[in-house]
Amino acid sequence: MFETFIKKLFMPFELSCPVDLKKVNENKVRLTAVWVLLLAIGFATTKLWLIPTFLIFDFSLRAFDLGKYSLLHKLSNFFVETFEMKNKPVAQAPKVFATQVGLIFSILILASLGIGYSTLSLSLTSILILFAFLESVFGFCAGCYVYTFQQKLFAS
């Protein structure tokens, strides 16, 4: 229902998602989004540069198929196994693309903080918080929307 509302509100054109035919456990993805959400909120309140630095490292591992080394991925696996959460398969490609977007945002957050643009850093963090919140709470992946926008932008 929420996703339908967003589609009607923001994307009156055909939605396009990356495809790779692989599946991941949505419960793990949503838990990882919880950790990103909490870290981003932590950064927004403390401005501690180590947080986006960690996110850059962790997003990089997950974005370039080294997720098994990601601390956030391992933490999510631990919770899924400990609480015996069932496997809920979803397409992997949109999640990987969203991870790459998170990586770009984390780099921009750290760079803007580093050059003294703390307002820009906080604005970018707010967007990261929004995306992580939507994924973790509603299972709504903004990655397909960003992907569709990117495809339309560079389609010329």
Side-chain angles (χ1 to χ4, degrees), residues 1-60:
M1 182 172 136
F2 180 75
E3 188 170 348
T4 304
F5 170 74
I6 294 295
K7 282 180 186 178
K8 288 180 181 178
L9 185 62
F10 294 109
M11 297 293 185
F13 48 86
E14 181 87 18
L15 188 63
S16 175
C17 291
V19 178
D20 69 359
L21 305 177
K22 294 180 184 176
K23 300 286 184 185
V24 291
N25 184 349
E26 183 180 19
N27 289 320
K28 288 181 187 177
V29 171
R30 290 176 75 172
L31 276 171
T32 302
V34 168
W35 311 131
V36 171
L37 175 64
L38 293 174
L39 286 166
I41 290 170
F43 173 73
T45 57
T46 66
K47 303 290 187 294
L48 182 63
W49 64 271
L50 287 172
I51 295 172
T53 302
F54 171 78
L55 285 173
I56 290 168
F57 179 71
D58 201 80
F59 274 130
S60 294

Side-chain angles (χ1 to χ4, degrees), residues 5-152:
F5 170 74
I6 294 295
K7 282 180 186 178
K8 288 180 181 178
L9 185 62
F10 294 109
M11 297 293 185
F13 48 86
E14 181 87 18
L15 188 63
S16 175
C17 291
V19 178
D20 69 359
L21 305 177
K22 294 180 184 176
K23 300 286 184 185
V24 291
N25 184 349
E26 183 180 19
N27 289 320
K28 288 181 187 177
V29 171
R30 290 176 75 172
L31 276 171
T32 302
V34 168
W35 311 131
V36 171
L37 175 64
L38 293 174
L39 286 166
I41 290 170
F43 173 73
T45 57
T46 66
K47 303 290 187 294
L48 182 63
W49 64 271
L50 287 172
I51 295 172
T53 302
F54 171 78
L55 285 173
I56 290 168
F57 179 71
D58 201 80
F59 274 130
S60 294
L61 290 172
R62 290 183 285 116
F64 298 109
D65 205 24
L66 296 170
K68 64 184 176 185
Y69 303 110
S70 157
L71 182 59
L72 298 182
H73 180 76
K74 287 181 180 198
L75 193 56
S76 296
N77 278 338
F78 172 77
F79 272 79
V80 165
E81 290 171 8
T82 300
F83 295 104
E84 299 176 0
M85 300 169 81
K86 66 178 186 162
N87 184 25
K88 191 173 178 184
V90 294
Q92 173 183 302
K95 306 304 182 184
V96 171
F97 181 78
T99 300
Q100 293 166 346
V101 171
L103 171 61
I104 292 167
F105 267 80
S106 298
I107 291 168
L108 293 173
I109 289 165
L110 185 62
S112 60
L113 184 69
I115 60 174
Y117 291 141
S118 60
T119 303
L120 176 59
S121 178
L122 186 57
S123 298
L124 293 167
T125 303
S126 297
I127 295 168
L128 185 61
I129 288 170
L130 174 64
F131 284 179
F133 174 79
L134 290 172
E135 178 66 55
S136 63
V137 174
F138 298 110
F140 177 83
C141 180
C144 287
Y145 294 90
V146 173
Y147 184 80
T148 301
F149 178 74
Q150 172 199 351
Q151 295 300 313
K152 299 285 183 194

